[in-house]
Amino acid sequence: MALGGMIEDLPTLDEADVKDKTVIVRIDINSPMDPVSGKILDDTRIKASAVTIKELASKGAKLVLLAHQGRLGDDDFTTLEQHAELLSKATGIKIKYLKDLFYGEPVAQAIKELKPGEAILLENVRYLAEEPVARSMQDQAKTRLVQNLAPLAQIFVNDAFAAAQRPHASIIGFAAVLPSYAGRVMEREVKRMTRALNPEHPCVYMLGGAKVDDTIKILEHSLSKGLVDTVLTGGLLANIFLMVSGKDIGGPNVKLISDKSYLKLVDRAKVIYSNHAHLIKTPLDFVVDVQGKPKVIAVEELPMNVELLDVGPKTVAYYSKFLAEAKTIVVKGPMGVFERKGYERGTLELYRAAANSKAFKVFGGGHTVTIVNEAGVASKIDHVSTGGGAAVSFLSGEPMPGIEALLYSKRLRQRR
Ligand code: 3PG
């Protein structure tokens, strides 16, 4: 994708006439959830999406909202009931939630009954087995979701920047058959992130979080292109690179990686490490739980029969030096099990160190936004993206099918 041309070419809501039209809007309101209570912990993405929804509703559109929450098998893979309530609150529009429904007669009926300015939210689209399967845009247009919903609408709006790296049915399928536009979240993200596409060096990535499959892919791209000078690892990513460097990280930590089926990533991490070992930094110490209390251990003390829950003070000092000297910083994910009380300190201190650096700073991700807010550093960051994997994928020049689909739709209109 010609990233340089993206800002000018991206079709936005300024070009769309939505009055009295039925508009399918793909939003990303995938939110961090409390693993015990199941309550949404952070509504940043919901509030961001509200801007687009309010604008479309005030222009007289009839809105059919599509969104996902979590991934099959994860604790936060759940319905969108809470999201509908929070969206209603954030928009001031009563958003009707159609539980367990994606298409079929009741949905068609509800869509036909919509009046201008009204909105419905369908069920977690990832409950459909066909949704998270990577396919071409034309093949996604043949999925039951698109085949059933597209004929009931006149316009598609993709506001899900945070999922734009996914070639999924609800992200790219509608753009093949409906005039499609970027929502305001998507537009803002693309504009701001484009500024960071040619990073000033030294460029430091600080990467943690659970989605190591994405992070490894991002590293393969960005390291091979020379975009990044130092990678500060945390969480599972750090564990994998420690393993790759020959360290025995202890049974519970290996189990965490194998439970997520990430052991297969170790070979790819080995290739990355063999080519770029000098750029990849791993923690010098960790915080672990010993008899219910946080305890700092040095990396040399491994293996121990405990989970590595946070990075320790030596790591904070070590990583902070790179952050202070950086000209560009990209941050994604927590550096450990941030949500567990007593194990958030390393993450918070490193976020503060990154935020205090004079570098151009982009932070991204659902949990990342929560941490930024908790660390109280939002105002010091140039761009806090609603996307985690999406933000880093965009910056490392990986394909962004959700954006490419919008550009395709615009080209199609221009040819007609
Ligand atoms: C995210 O939280 O990064 C987006 O909602 C995409 O979710 P995914 O990584 O499960 O596709």
Side-chain angles (χ1 to χ4, degrees):
M1 178 168 42
L3 290 172
M6 209 190 276
I7 295 185
E8 308 86 70
D9 298 341
L10 194 72
T12 71
L13 293 185
D14 297 331
E15 302 167 34
D17 176 11
V18 298
K19 190 170 174 356
D20 297 328
K21 306 250 171 66
T22 301
V23 182
I24 296 173
V25 191
R26 176 57 158 104
I27 51 178
D28 191 321
I29 47 174
N30 185 23
S31 305
M33 297 190 124
D34 185 307
V36 180
S37 68
K39 280 196 88 159
I40 290 178
L41 292 171
D42 185 286
D43 62 356
T44 305
R45 285 181 175 171
I46 292 174
K47 284 187 177 144
S49 302
V51 172
T52 299
I53 294 169
K54 280 200 292 192
E55 178 177 337
L56 288 167
S58 72
K59 288 179 171 170
K62 306 170 198 174
L63 301 172
V64 180
L65 309 176
L66 284 175
H68 75 277
Q69 172 63 51
R71 294 176 179 184
L72 177 66
D74 284 355
D75 291 344
D76 63 349
F77 186 57
T78 183
T79 73
L80 299 182
E81 203 154 2
Q82 271 187 80
H83 304 67
E85 274 169 35
L86 292 173
L87 257 186
S88 299
K89 214 162 112 191
T91 55
I93 299 166
K94 174 75 200 129
I95 293 177
K96 194 172 163 204
Y97 163 61
L98 299 190
K99 190 172 167 57
D100 294 335
L101 293 176
F102 314 93
Y103 46 74
E105 200 32 50
V107 173
Q109 194 54 35
I111 293 177
K112 282 178 199 151
E113 283 169 8
L114 278 173
K115 297 198 177 60
E118 290 185 348
I120 55 174
L121 172 67
L122 302 181
E123 185 55 283
N124 181 350
V125 77
R126 287 192 181 170
Y127 282 10
L128 290 171
E130 65 176 3
E131 163 68 9
V133 180
R135 298 186 193 93
S136 70
M137 204 193 326
Q138 275 64 29
D139 284 341
Q140 296 294 23
K142 293 180 197 146
T143 53
R144 292 204 293 163
L145 179 77
V146 178
Q147 290 277 309
N148 280 280
L149 290 182
L152 301 167
Q154 290 82 50
I155 288 176
F156 174 65
V157 170
N158 188 353
D159 212 22
F161 173 78
Q165 77 279 33
R166 309 278 178 230
H168 293 174
S170 67
I171 301 288
I172 60 173
F174 293 102
V177 289
L178 290 175
S180 301
Y181 302 87
R184 295 303 182 196
V185 174
M186 177 74 87
E187 181 188 351
R188 186 167 143 265
E189 292 275 8
V190 172
K191 281 187 178 160
R192 298 234 179 134
M193 302 284 286
T194 301
R195 277 200 226 154
L197 272 177
N198 297 310
E200 230 190 297
H201 293 272
C203 173
V204 175
Y205 282 12
M206 186 163 78
L207 304 174
K211 297 174 185 171
V212 185
D213 45 351
D214 287 345
T215 317
I216 292 279
K217 200 154 66 156
I218 286 158
L219 285 180
E220 287 168 342
H221 252 263
S222 47
L223 284 164
S224 67
K225 288 187 183 162
L227 289 176
V228 54
D229 304 294
T230 305
V231 181
L232 307 175
T233 64
L236 288 183
L237 185 71
N239 293 1
I240 288 182
F241 277 111
L242 281 170
M243 275 171 85
V244 162
S245 69
K247 191 92 212 154
D248 181 351
I249 57 172
N253 300 298
V254 176
K255 185 173 178 310
L256 276 179
I257 295 170
S258 68
D259 281 355
K260 286 242 169 202
S261 308
Y262 285 159
L263 275 178
K264 60 182 185 293
L265 293 176
V266 172
D267 285 341
R268 282 164 66 191
K270 266 186 201 152
V271 176
I272 297 175
Y273 196 73
S274 66
N275 292 324
H276 307 282
H278 59 297
L279 307 184
I280 295 168
K281 312 297 172 199
T282 50
L284 304 178
D285 55 356
F286 291 98
V287 186
V288 299
D289 176 337
V290 175
Q291 291 168 348
K293 291 216 176 90
K295 179 172 187 265
V296 176
I297 59 153
V299 73
E300 292 78 19
E301 292 176 64
L302 293 174
M304 280 173 71
N305 199 27
V306 286
E307 271 181 38
L308 308 172
L309 296 172
D310 190 13
V311 293
K314 280 197 179 132
T315 308
V316 170
Y318 175 49
Y319 283 7
S320 294
K321 279 196 194 144
F322 292 101
L323 294 166
E325 283 162 17
K327 291 265 169 52
T328 308
I329 295 175
V330 175
V331 176
K332 172 188 167 296
M335 305 307 280
V337 187
F338 164 81
E339 55 278 22
R340 194 158 149 192
K341 213 170 158 26
Y343 301 92
E344 65 280 66
R345 196 164 162 181
T347 296
L348 286 176
E349 288 188 6
L350 281 169
Y351 269 53
R352 289 187 186 118
N356 286 329
S357 159
K358 291 199 173 67
F360 178 80
K361 297 165 283 256
V362 177
F363 284 44
H367 283 87
T368 306
V369 174
T370 313
I371 304 163
V372 164
N373 291 337
E374 220 160 289
V377 294
S379 63
K380 295 184 174 174
I381 298 163
D382 297 275
H383 179 50
V384 181
S385 174
T386 55
V392 191
S393 292
F394 187 96
L395 291 179
S396 60
E398 275 204 57
M400 300 291 285
I403 297 173
E404 286 168 34
L406 295 174
L407 297 172
Y408 167 88
S409 172
K410 179 160 178 168
R411 283 197 301 276
L412 213 62
R413 285 198 294 283
Q414 284 169 339
R415 264 191 246 136
R416 280 180 187 147

